[in-house]
Amino acid sequence: MITCTEAIPYQAERKIEIMISYHSFFVELLVLQCLALASASLGYNFHYFVQQWPGSHPCVTRKSCYPTTGKPATNFSITGFRPYYKDGSSETFCNVSNNPFDLSKISDLTSKMQANWPSLACPCSDSTTGLWSREWDKYGTCSESRYLPGEHAYFKAALDLKDRVNILQILEKSGIQPNGGFYNLSSIHSAIHKAIGYDPWIKCNTDASGNGQLYQIYLCVGRYELTFTECPVLPKTTEDCASAIKFPAF
């Protein structure tokens, strides 16, 4: 059976003209199929760049669960950098078997990632590396392009984006403090829009008392320039926010 890697110009010894035409047709067909598959897997339109507030994370607030590296910083942390199509769909786990997560490829980024992309999931085992591995295998492998040519570029791009936009600083400049107070959702939107020029999408959850609280902030990033842009579609979720939400302390 001919595979994609074997779809090269037919160079077998000439036997009869009809046999050459037969093989040429199927080689060309296979090449077209391979190109179509490659285009489909790399044809995403934008990324959701997602940051979360640790004070609202269920494992942190209900189980006092911190990474083995210690309590996370009192700041928003990265939780995802995920490619999507304009219709809100996405592909996952693209060619993982040939391109699995390799911690050695991001050894120069590890300390910065521990500070900015920690795992808050329970149990409290050494799960941060596992988080990075899952994000790369599920989403990073589907982000590869000339602009993100591999694992190191993928994680570095996410860290650079976080450096460009300090969500906590933006909110605090508008008087929105992580002090357990309630703030208008519209004020949070406005503060972020004023700072970056684009609307965020905000995801909420509830605390132990049933109060809606600020949990995650989604910003959209263009595929080519890797700069912030207007979100072409909102994430598909039912965890909407009330008009006033809590910004818990941490």
Side-chain angles (χ1 to χ4, degrees):
M1 180 181 292
I2 300 175
T3 66
C4 289
T5 56
E6 297 168 334
I8 58 177
Y10 182 72
Q11 296 176 342
E13 183 178 352
R14 290 176 61 92
K15 293 183 178 180
I16 57 175
E17 186 173 347
I18 190 171
M19 184 63 70
I20 293 175
S21 300
Y22 175 84
H23 278 278
S24 297
F25 170 78
F26 281 99
V27 167
E28 290 176 7
L29 179 61
L30 182 60
V31 170
L32 290 174
Q33 290 175 332
C34 293
L35 290 174
L37 288 172
S39 298
S41 63
L42 297 176
Y44 65 93
N45 302 114
F46 70 100
H47 288 88
Y48 284 128
F49 179 58
V50 191
Q51 296 185 60
Q52 64 185 356
W53 179 247
S56 300
H57 195 285
C59 284
V60 172
T61 56
R62 297 173 187 172
K63 298 182 181 180
S64 299
C65 184
Y66 298 147
T68 55
T69 51
K71 182 180 177 180
T74 304
N75 203 348
F76 285 87
S77 63
I78 302 170
T79 189
F81 185 43
R82 301 161 182 171
Y84 275 78
Y85 295 99
K86 288 183 178 179
D87 64 359
S89 64
S90 67
E91 288 187 280
T92 54
F93 299 105
C94 301
N95 199 27
V96 177
S97 59
N98 293 327
N99 197 10
F101 177 76
D102 183 349
L103 185 61
S104 67
K105 291 182 178 179
I106 56 170
S107 57
D108 61 316
L109 303 176
T110 300
S111 60
K112 190 170 183 179
M113 288 183 62
Q114 286 174 340
N116 293 279
W117 201 330
S119 172
L120 302 179
C122 291
C124 302
S125 59
D126 186 11
S127 55
T128 294
T129 300
L131 168 66
W132 302 339
S133 177
R134 288 190 298 275
E135 284 295 312
W136 167 253
D137 290 347
K138 187 173 183 179
Y139 298 105
T141 54
C142 299
S143 294
E144 287 195 280
S145 68
R146 56 183 283 194
Y147 303 94
L148 291 174
E151 181 183 321
H152 187 277
Y154 169 78
F155 285 108
K156 186 177 185 304
L159 292 171
D160 289 346
L161 288 166
K162 189 174 186 302
D163 284 342
R164 288 184 220 169
V165 175
N166 188 322
I167 296 292
L168 180 60
Q169 187 178 78
I170 289 170
L171 295 179
E172 289 182 329
K173 284 184 176 179
S174 295
I176 302 169
Q177 305 280 343
N179 55 12
F182 284 77
Y183 298 91
N184 289 332
L185 182 64
S186 59
S187 298
I188 297 173
H189 269 279
S190 297
I192 297 173
H193 181 94
K194 182 179 179 181
I196 69 170
Y198 300 104
D199 283 326
W201 186 82
I202 297 173
K203 180 177 180 178
C204 296
N205 62 9
T206 55
D207 64 12
S209 300
N211 297 309
Q213 59 184 3
L214 176 62
Y215 180 31
Q216 294 179 342
I217 293 180
Y218 286 63
L219 299 174
C220 287
V221 176
R223 173 182 178 179
Y224 301 106
E225 299 299 328
L226 293 177
T227 56
F228 294 105
T229 186
E230 205 68 62
C231 290
V233 63
L234 297 179
K236 296 175 181 178
T237 178
T238 59
E239 296 186 71
D240 295 328
C241 300
S243 58
I245 57 176
K246 183 180 177 181
F247 192 2
F250 181 64

